[in-house]
């Protein structure tokens, strides 16, 4: 068998794997990345590409805000094809009950240094005139943004390669452990540390992982410049995200630099096939049209699906795996892998190199899952 020695082998060439490779290579480690497909495929290609602060939990907020700030630092160096646009997010309140949530979010974000603006019905209609009349208002988070994930992943991977990382694509990994990556073609790669950044396939390499695949659909329209100006999300989106068993849809659309409108979102457990599920697609589009009736008159140019890696507590697994000291995890990001890729990479590289973390890392450590399993 062919062997090669590296400091770190990253399994997975999506945006999280690319970010980890970039961070580690720039710190001087000898890195190899193994990907079964092209860079930025898989969940990366099925992500909406939002760079968004979320507050489903304190730990989620900390990681998304930290990561967003890292993206803002990187923004000036991103190539044009990454299409980074700081368009802002508007959390849309359909009624007065949801305006209560708007004010809660405004207070929570404000206390933690995130700028926001509360919008009444008139202000919301002025900013997004194609929303259905009668909405109660919303919360504008102006520092949120969007980008094109595959090109962002490619940028990070190319920067890693410029710092000496080796990239092996088109090769499946059959097994990892004991400082060895066993490839499906019979070859073996030796590395002191193996980073499992295989997304929804991470559990194929470590069956003990408490990760489930969540299938999502996306639709992109033809070009309709100016129809949507901000990323728009219903406040009920969080209710959808809280569902850990049932299928769900929520209104979530964003403008692209091309003038197209990207439409999400759906969540499915137990759907193993990549084909578009027409029932879920219809539900998702109907939900979107309840908020933006004009979508019904638009032409769509593409519909596709992807699988996201979801953990029971909706937080990623970042750090050493308890079952093998040579394995580290960078997976379980579900729908926030694009946003949190840079933060994940910084946390992971810090653990590997002994650097002091910039935010508390305990909520993301894989050891928490082992403890929950032991007490279940």
């Amino acid at each position: 068998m062919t062997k090669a020695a590296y400091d770190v082998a990253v399994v997975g060439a999506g945006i999280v794997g690319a970010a980890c490779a970039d961070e580690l290579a720039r710190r001087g480690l000898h890195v190899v990345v193994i990907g079964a497909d092209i860079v930025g495929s898989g969940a990366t290609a099925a992500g909406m590409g939002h760079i968004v602060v979320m507050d489903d939990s304190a730990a989620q907020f900390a990681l998304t805000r930290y990561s967003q700030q890292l993206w803002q630092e990187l923004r000036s160096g991103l190539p044009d094809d990454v299409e980074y646009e700081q368009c802002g997010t508007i959390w849309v309140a359909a009624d007065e009950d949801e305006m209560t949530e708007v004010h809660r979010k405004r207070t929570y974000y404000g206390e933690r240094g995130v700028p926001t603006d509360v919008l009444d019905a008139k202000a919301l209609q002025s900013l997004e005139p194609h929303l259905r009349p009668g909405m109660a208002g919303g919360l504008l988070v102006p520092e949120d943004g969007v980008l094109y994930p595959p090109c962002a992943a490619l940028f990070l991977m190319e920067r890693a390669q410029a710092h000496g990382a080796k990239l092996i694509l088109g090769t499946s990994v059959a097994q990892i452990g004991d400082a060895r990556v066993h490839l499906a073609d019979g070859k073996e790669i030796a590395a002191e540390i193996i980073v499992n950044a295989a997304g929804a396939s991470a559990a194929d390499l470590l069956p003990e992982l408490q990760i489930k695949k969540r299938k999502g659909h996306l639709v992109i329209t033809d070009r309709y410049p100016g129809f949507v100006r901000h990323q728009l999300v219903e406040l009920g989106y969080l209710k959808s995200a809280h569902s850990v068993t049932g299928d769900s849809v929520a209104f979530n659309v964003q403008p692209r630099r091309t003038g197209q409108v990207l439409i999400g979102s759906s969540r499915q457990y137990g759907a193993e096939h990549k084909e578009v599920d027409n029932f879920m697609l219809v539900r998702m589009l109907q939900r979107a049209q309840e908020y933006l009736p004009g979508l019904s008159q638009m032409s769509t140019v593409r519909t596709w699906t992807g699988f996201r890696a979801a953990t029971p507590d909706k937080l990623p697994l970042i750090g050493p795996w308890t079952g093998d000291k040579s394995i580290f995890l960078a997976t379980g990001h579900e729908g926030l892998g694009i946003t949190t890729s840079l933060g994940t990479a910084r946390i992971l590289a810090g653990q590997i190199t002994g650097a002091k973390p910039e935010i508390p890392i305990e909520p993301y450590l894989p050891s928490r899952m082992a403890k929950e399993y032991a007490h279940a």
Side-chain angles (χ1 to χ4, degrees):
M1 292 185 289
T2 303
K3 295 187 178 182
Y6 296 89
D7 295 324
V8 183
V10 179
V11 179
I15 196 167
V16 172
C20 290
D22 174 50
E23 189 71 39
L24 291 163
R26 288 190 297 113
R27 296 188 188 208
L29 277 70
H30 192 203
V31 178
V32 61
V33 183
I34 306 108
D37 205 335
I38 62 172
V39 173
S41 58
T44 299
M48 292 190 76
H50 46 216
I51 306 298
V52 60
V53 175
M54 298 284 282
D55 64 336
D56 196 23
S57 66
Q60 185 190 75
F61 175 87
L63 183 59
T64 55
R65 179 58 170 168
Y66 175 54
S67 299
Q68 183 185 73
Q69 290 173 321
L70 293 176
W71 278 111
Q72 289 170 344
E73 291 172 12
L74 185 59
R75 181 181 178 185
S76 63
L78 293 172
D80 190 62
D81 64 5
V82 173
E83 298 181 13
Y84 192 110
E85 299 283 343
Q86 193 167 300
C87 59
T89 297
I90 296 179
W91 292 88
V92 180
D95 52 37
E96 289 305 320
D97 285 344
E98 290 187 352
M99 282 301 293
T100 300
E101 175 64 8
V102 162
H103 291 289
R104 185 205 65 78
K105 286 177 77 72
R106 188 268 307 269
T107 299
Y108 187 91
Y109 282 25
E111 290 173 348
R112 291 157 180 81
V114 179
T116 61
D117 288 306
V118 174
L119 308 174
D120 60 16
K122 184 177 179 180
L124 177 64
Q125 198 68 28
S126 175
L127 288 177
E128 291 290 348
H130 293 104
L131 280 169
R132 184 188 79 231
M135 296 291 178
L139 184 74
L140 170 62
V141 187
E143 291 188 1
D144 284 355
V146 299
L147 52 71
Y148 184 55
C151 286
L154 186 60
F155 164 76
L156 292 169
M157 192 67 79
E158 289 176 344
R159 197 167 70 160
Q161 289 177 278
H163 285 86
K166 181 178 180 181
L167 178 61
I168 301 172
L169 296 177
T171 302
S172 297
V173 173
Q175 187 179 352
I176 60 174
D178 296 323
R180 294 288 187 274
V181 178
H182 301 272
L183 305 181
D185 61 9
K187 294 180 181 179
E188 182 182 281
I189 294 174
E192 184 177 345
I193 289 171
I194 302 162
V195 177
N196 185 346
S201 299
D204 295 342
L205 300 174
L206 292 174
E208 309 97 313
L209 286 182
Q210 295 183 54
I211 285 179
K212 289 185 177 181
K213 291 182 179 179
R214 252 185 169 177
K215 183 178 178 180
H217 288 68
L218 287 176
V219 175
I220 195 162
T221 72
D222 207 340
R223 297 171 187 248
Y224 301 93
F227 180 79
V228 173
R229 302 167 183 173
H230 306 77
Q231 176 165 257
L232 301 176
V233 190
E234 66 168 291
L235 279 160
Y237 179 88
L238 293 179
K239 300 173 186 176
S240 168
H242 275 299
S243 174
V244 295
T245 54
D247 297 346
S248 62
V249 298
F251 169 63
N252 185 355
V253 304
Q254 63 180 222
R256 303 305 310 181
R257 183 184 292 180
T258 56
Q260 296 170 285
V261 180
L262 184 61
I263 306 170
S265 67
S266 69
R267 291 178 168 87
Q268 288 175 279
Y269 277 129
E272 296 293 331
H273 59 88
K274 294 182 179 180
E275 288 73 27
V276 170
D277 184 318
N278 287 326
F279 175 72
M280 287 299 296
L281 183 64
V282 169
R283 281 184 62 191
M284 186 180 83
L285 291 175
Q286 286 176 340
R287 186 62 174 171
Q289 290 168 25
E290 288 175 15
Y291 283 79
L292 287 168
L295 289 174
S296 64
Q297 306 301 314
M298 292 185 175
S299 299
T300 60
V301 296
R302 187 183 173 211
T303 301
W304 71 105
T305 70
F307 294 95
R308 293 129 191 187
T311 62
D313 62 4
K314 298 179 287 296
L315 293 173
L317 302 167
I318 310 170
W321 173 239
T322 55
D324 185 325
K325 64 181 182 180
S326 70
I327 297 176
F328 279 65
L329 303 181
T331 186
H333 297 81
E334 219 259 286
L336 289 170
I338 311 301
T339 291
T340 59
S341 55
L342 298 187
T344 294
R346 189 72 65 90
I347 290 170
L348 184 83
Q351 292 178 79
I352 290 173
T353 62
K356 183 179 179 181
E358 295 173 304
I359 64 170
I361 63 173
E362 289 74 18
Y364 323 112
L365 293 175
S367 57
R368 76 184 190 273
M369 292 299 176
K371 292 174 184 176
E372 289 178 11
Y373 182 79
H375 291 87

